[in-house]
Each structure stands twice: as C-alpha cells, then as structure tokens.
Amino acid sequence: MIHRGDSLFGEEKRLQERKKQLLYLVYHFLQDEGYYDSAQTFENEAQLTNQIEICDNIDLSTILQEYETYYNLRFQKYPKICKKVSNQTDLNEKQYRFRKKQNEIMPLDYSQKSIPNMSHSSNTNNSSNSSSNNNNKEIAKANLKQSNSLRSNKVLAKSKSSTSAPNGMMDITIVPLSIPPNVNTPVLQNEEESEPERLLKPLGAYREYSPEWKEYADIISKEIFMKHTNVYWDDVKGLYAAKQLLKEAVVFPAKYPQLFTNILTPWKGILLFGPPGTGKTLLAKAVATESKTTFFNISASSIVSKWRGDSEKLVRVLFEVARLQAPSTIFLDELDALASKRDGLIEHEASRRLKTELLIQLDGLAQTEDKVFLLATSNLPWDLDPAILRRLEKRILIDLPNTEARMSMMKHHLPPVIIEKTTPQLKCRIDYEQLAQKMEGYSGSDIKLVCKETAMNAMRKAFSALELSTASELKSLELKIITTEDVEEAIERTRPSASHMLPKLKKWQDEFGAV
Ligand code: ADP
C-alpha cells in the first residue's frame, strides 16, 4: 500500500530530478549554440559535474519540438512560448543597455536592489540568513553581470579601436532577418508569429576559426540591426522593372528556394548602376526588408580607405560570415571605389590583393549552392574592372524618375498636411503634376532637397514668431500654406545634380548592361 507521504516524497524527488535534468539540458544547449562563456559561468553557478551527461538523441530543441507537436495535435495550433515584454520592462531593458553603452558598470536592476540590502547582512536570525543568502546571490549576480559588462565593454573598446576609420567612414551593418518559410512551415497564428526573428549565430559557434578571423567577424557584426531596414517596395517610387528583377533574383528565391533549382538557380550578383540619388541604396534596403535574408551593408570606399593592407582579409571573412548566416545579401555600395580598373594613385599591392580576393569570392558564390547574393552599386560602371563586371550577371540601370514617380515622391514629401499632430499646422496646396513636369531631370534626392527647402522656407518665415510665442500662443499661430509658387522658387534654386551623367550611362547600358 502506498502512503500519501510516500507519493508526495516521490513527487518531490521527481521535481528535483527534473530540475537537475533541466540544468544539464540548458548547459548542453548553451554549448551546442556556441555560448561558451555563458556555459562556463552557468556550469560554475549551477555546480554541474562532468560525471553526468545528456543521453543520446536528447536536447532542448527536440523536447520543445515534441511539445509543439503534442500541443498542435491537442489544440490545433502551436504553443506560444515567448511574448513581447510590457512597455515598462522594455523601457528598463533599454535603459540598462543604454547605461552599458555608456560604460556604466553596475547594471540598473542590481545596483538598485543589492546595495541597500547589504546593510542588513549582519543580522543573525533565520530570516536574515535567508536575506543574507539572497543578498549574496544578488551580489554574486551583480558581480557576474559587472564582469560580463566589463568584458563586453573591453570587446567593444577593442573593436572600436580597431575599426574607427581615420575619417570615420567605416560603415558596416548587418541586418539579420526572419527565416524564409519553407513548404512545410505550418500556418501560423498571426503576423507577429509569422516573422520569427533570426538571430545571428554567436561568434563562439565558429569554434574552428582563428582569433584573427573572429576579430574580423566581430568587426563585421559590430553594428547589427536585429529587425529590418524598414524600407518596403512601396517606399521606392517608380523603378518598376528594377523592383521586379530584384524580386525574381533575391526575394522569391529566398522565400521559395524549392522553386529555384537547376536552370532556375538564382542570380548570384547584380549591379545597380545609375546617377547618384536615384534610389539604389533605397532599393537594396527594400530587398533586405522584403527578402528576409541576413543583410550585410558595406560601403566599398570605407573598406578601401580604412583597411588598405587588410581589406582583402575583411572581404574574405565577410563572405564566409555571409555563408554561415545564409541566406544572406551582401550590399556593396560604390563598388567602383573597390574594384576600379584604373589603377590610379591608390593602386598598390594591397589593392591588387583586394580585387583578387573579391574575384575569388565571387567565383566561390557562383560555384556553390550557398544562398549568398551580392548586390553592388556604381555611379561609374565604366570604371569597373572587367573581370569583376563579368561576375555580376545582371546589370540594371537605375534611371532618373519619370513624371509619375516624381509626382509620387512630391506627394510623399509634401502631402496636403505636412505637420498635423502638433500645432501650428503646416499645410500644402500645390499642383503636383505641374511641378513634377517642371522637375524633369531631377533625381530622387534632388526632389527631396527641393521639398525640404520649400518646407524649411515656410518654417523659416515663422521662426521669429515661433521664438517669441509662448506655448499657448503657438496653438493660434498660422503658418502660410505652401503654394505651387513656393515650390517653384525652390526649384529655381536647386539644379538637377545628375542628369548630365545620363547620356554616358545609357550608352554604357547599350554596350554592357545585361538584363
Ligand atoms: P543612390 O544610392 O542611388 O545614390 P539613395 O537610394 O541613397 O540614392 O537615395 C537618396 C534619397 O533620395 C533617398 O533617401 C530617398 O529619399 C530619395 N530617393 C531617391 N530615389 C528614390 C525613389 N525611387 N523613391 C523614393 N525616394 C527616392
């Protein structure tokens, strides 16, 4: 006969056993994912022993998967394991990160809790013992966080010192994005769930790489936007053909890889060429957002100016990291700065090595199934090294905007109500079509400049009144409504910056552009 006490005892024992197993599972997971430092700390803190190991075919991921399957069978939906934190917690986290950035060593939450509690630690009764234990735990946690914070500050300082360009031009960002859904992906519950965030693998996962390699990889990943670039196809006005081609080349293959095999293997390299300010960078950002690939954004001129001797190593590691984080898009802005056929003053051994490395990497992309795609831009395509050009299979002219695109840009920058939420309001009554026609030859960035100039002018006229007004008077302040004539005035003062380049670009397109 089983007594109630025995069954309770058995339950308690199982609970303890489960907890112990969880600790080993977590440790195993951290190690598997390359979080070696955390695993080490965890091992010490949880006092794990190397006499125990996880059985074959068991890990946290499998257990979670099994649970999902069970849940799905039972409730016809997948369980929600994580959720967004509330605003307040979010805020605390942000403050914590901000302080950490500011090199403050004591993390917010622990600095507030542990210090006042320390004064009670001399009490000798039971409750004070437990409070003292808690304090010790808090202090230990704080110390741990402090040392982690110190370490990360050190890494940050190291990577900063090794990357800060003399002219401050080094400009690399990686945007990790969601995993593309595959055919077997179950129907998900809502929008939030349908875009799981894709985390970069921690550098620790690259066990077999040298410290130098990791240092470069660290530099490459130092500016990471965790979500996306926030530019969508609709934000890019006009350029329909270019958008369609980029969808075929990157977005669809990333979304439906099973369709793009054999002869349909996606393009590995695309060159966007055209006058400056026509939306090439904007297009690349839209590709990043819409394709949900990990996005590497590099300004070629910064590689050349900063890295010179070591630039080829940086390029090599960049392509390797991109492969490891595939599917990836590498965006190389101003390719001509890096792969110019004119040797010029900057040409020396290092520059030649850089070009060779780029060629090797591009060949590597072409010969493998790796889902890595290169998107390069150039305002001066005729300057590009022919060997590199050959490897960019598609070359698309990003033309100046047509009347329709100019009109929608104007509507975007100068809508009927420019400022509505605050007072005074800034409004606009203009003939968009007439103005768009007047701006023939203007690039997207020229149009933006005209619109900004117009809006600033309208504001400028009110600046003195704004300065003298009190908060309550501001409400009644009326700004002059922007008219077509106001915009025309700004057009008179802003010359199109890039139209003179177009004939040469079109000629080059006829000869070399391949679509
Ligand atoms: P590029 O890379 O071709 O030199 P960008 O993409 O950096 O030019 O464009 C500069 C700015 O001009 C953009 O931030 C955007 O405000 C505006 N712009 C240019 N082309 C377009 C376009 N097709 N649609 C919307 N905005 C544009």
Side-chain angles (χ1 to χ4, degrees):
M1 189 175 137
I2 299 170
H3 293 284
R4 194 172 136 71
D6 288 347
S7 94
L8 277 177
F9 179 71
E11 189 57 42
E12 173 69 14
K13 223 173 133 190
R14 265 199 301 280
L15 184 74
Q16 291 306 330
E17 187 60 20
R18 200 179 302 137
K19 272 191 184 167
K20 192 172 102 189
Q21 287 167 345
L22 253 178
L23 292 177
Y24 281 94
L25 279 167
V26 169
Y27 174 69
H28 187 247
F29 175 79
L30 288 174
Q31 279 228 320
D32 261 10
E33 292 295 309
Y35 297 101
Y36 299 121
D37 286 354
S38 309
Q40 181 74 54
T41 313
F42 185 73
E43 186 185 15
N44 295 340
E45 202 177 4
Q47 298 179 354
L48 305 184
T49 142
N50 57 10
Q51 308 291 309
I52 295 176
E53 64 174 13
I54 299 291
C55 299
D56 291 344
N57 304 326
I58 285 286
D59 57 41
L60 267 185
S61 168
T62 323
I63 293 171
L64 193 59
Q65 204 178 345
E66 299 260 307
Y67 171 68
E68 281 174 350
T69 314
Y70 151 78
Y71 195 96
N72 187 260
L73 274 174
R74 183 149 183 212
F75 304 107
Q76 285 74 53
K77 62 180 182 180
Y78 283 89
K80 201 168 176 176
I81 307 284
C82 299
K83 63 172 188 170
K84 278 202 172 143
V85 288
S86 69
N87 285 347
Q88 187 52 43
T89 329
D90 223 4
L91 197 66
N92 288 345
E93 177 68 8
K94 269 187 198 150
Q95 281 173 341
Y96 169 69
R97 281 204 213 112
F98 175 70
R99 290 203 174 190
K100 209 166 158 194
K101 232 183 180 171
Q102 298 280 309
N103 282 359
E104 277 191 21
I105 291 162
M106 187 65 82
L108 254 188
D109 40 358
Y110 294 112
S111 65
Q112 284 162 1
K113 278 188 206 160
S114 60
I115 292 171
N117 283 350
M118 281 162 81
S119 62
H120 300 296
S121 61
S122 60
N123 290 345
T124 50
N125 62 21
N126 272 351
S127 70
S128 78
N129 268 349
S130 77
S131 120
S132 148
N133 275 345
N134 286 341
N135 283 337
N136 288 343
K137 275 187 195 166
E138 297 275 74
I139 294 163
K141 273 190 200 169
N143 285 343
L144 185 68
K145 280 211 170 189
Q146 189 168 332
S147 72
N148 283 344
S149 167
L150 263 176
R151 201 176 324 140
S152 63
N153 283 338
K154 246 162 116 190
V155 171
L156 203 72
K158 195 173 163 207
S159 78
K160 271 206 174 129
S161 69
S162 58
T163 57
S164 57
N167 50 9
M169 281 173 68
M170 189 63 193
D171 181 19
I172 300 178
T173 55
I174 305 175
V175 185
L177 291 147
S178 314
I179 303 168
N182 64 34
V183 266
N184 298 323
T185 307
V187 180
L188 296 164
Q189 320 300 317
N190 57 34
E191 189 58 25
E192 192 186 309
E193 281 169 297
S194 70
E195 291 214 349
E197 209 172 287
R198 178 146 174 242
L199 300 174
L200 278 183
K201 283 179 203 151
L203 291 181
Y206 307 143
R207 236 185 276 217
E208 65 272 31
Y209 294 97
S210 68
E212 191 194 24
W213 189 95
K214 285 188 184 174
E215 205 173 310
Y216 280 104
D218 184 37
I219 291 163
I220 288 164
S221 58
K222 81 181 163 61
E223 283 177 38
I224 301 175
F225 297 126
M226 289 309 293
K227 288 247 160 121
H228 44 65
T229 36
N230 264 334
V231 177
Y232 295 85
W233 291 130
D234 285 348
D235 298 321
V236 186
K237 312 295 180 210
L239 303 175
Y240 298 111
K243 281 194 259 185
Q244 188 53 36
L245 210 95
L246 287 169
K247 280 179 196 169
E248 287 167 19
V250 202
V251 182
F252 296 151
K255 273 189 179 166
Y256 313 107
Q258 67 279 19
L259 298 180
F260 290 82
T261 52
N262 302 326
I263 192 69
L264 289 171
T265 309
W267 309 108
K268 295 286 183 166
I270 289 188
L271 174 70
L272 303 177
F273 67 97
T278 45
K280 297 185 284 299
T281 310
L282 212 58
L283 270 173
K285 286 182 180 165
V287 167
T289 316
E290 304 270 4
S291 69
K292 300 173 174 58
T293 55
T294 310
F295 190 70
F296 297 80
N297 176 358
I298 300 179
S299 142
S301 64
S302 70
I303 299 183
V304 175
S305 65
K306 165 64 187 157
W307 292 93
R308 295 210 166 218
D310 290 334
S311 51
E312 90 274 12
K313 285 186 200 156
L314 187 81
V315 167
R316 187 183 318 142
V317 178
L318 168 68
F319 277 79
E320 280 173 21
V321 173
R323 271 195 282 273
L324 291 164
Q325 303 286 351
S328 307
T329 302
I330 299 177
F331 175 57
L332 251 177
D333 203 8
E334 309 169 64
L335 181 65
D336 34 281
L338 188 151
S340 166
K341 69 182 168 201
R342 275 184 307 167
D343 291 349
L345 284 177
I346 63 149
E347 177 72 5
H348 48 65
E349 185 50 30
S351 176
R352 259 193 297 276
R353 283 206 309 268
L354 172 59
K355 273 191 222 169
T356 311
E357 187 59 49
L358 192 60
L359 285 174
I360 293 171
Q361 293 303 332
L362 289 176
D363 283 343
L365 286 192
Q367 285 157 18
T368 62
E369 292 291 302
D370 291 330
K371 291 183 177 52
V372 179
F373 164 80
L374 178 76
L375 192 56
T377 72
S378 174
N379 301 333
L380 311 163
W382 43 85
D383 267 358
L384 290 176
D385 189 295
I388 289 186
L389 196 59
R390 263 201 308 282
R391 283 152 178 92
L392 295 168
E393 303 151 299
K394 282 272 179 196
R395 298 153 210 165
I396 314 169
L397 172 64
I398 306 300
D399 208 342
L400 291 169
N402 59 20
T403 316
E404 190 200 334
R406 293 197 295 274
M407 241 170 83
S408 53
M409 282 181 212
M410 294 217 56
K411 283 181 182 165
H412 173 74
H413 296 306
L414 293 178
V417 180
I418 301 173
I419 308 177
E420 61 176 334
K421 293 218 170 72
T422 55
T423 49
Q425 282 196 344
L426 183 56
K427 290 182 179 169
C428 193
R429 297 283 173 274
I430 58 178
D431 186 335
Y432 292 104
E433 193 171 355
Q434 183 187 326
L435 290 166
Q437 272 161 5
K438 209 159 190 161
M439 279 197 276
E440 168 104 56
Y442 281 62
S443 70
S445 66
D446 293 336
I447 294 168
K448 189 177 178 183
L449 198 68
V450 166
C451 296
K452 188 166 181 169
E453 189 64 32
T454 310
M456 285 304 269
N457 263 341
M459 271 299 200
R460 217 169 277 143
K461 284 176 191 159
F463 273 162
S464 49
L466 286 173
E467 233 166 26
L468 297 174
S469 302
T470 61
S472 58
E473 283 168 344
L474 266 184
K475 282 187 186 156
S476 52
L477 198 71
E478 295 231 333
L479 292 180
K480 183 183 163 294
I481 294 178
I482 292 172
T483 62
T484 305
E485 290 72 40
D486 293 329
V487 187
E488 280 174 342
E489 229 177 79
I491 294 175
E492 288 301 312
R493 278 184 275 123
T494 320
R495 297 281 105 213
S497 63
S499 54
H500 64 281
M501 297 176 72
L502 209 56
K504 192 168 176 184
L505 284 161
K506 287 206 159 147
K507 193 160 171 268
W508 190 87
Q509 184 198 26
D510 292 342
E511 215 168 325
F512 302 101
V515 181

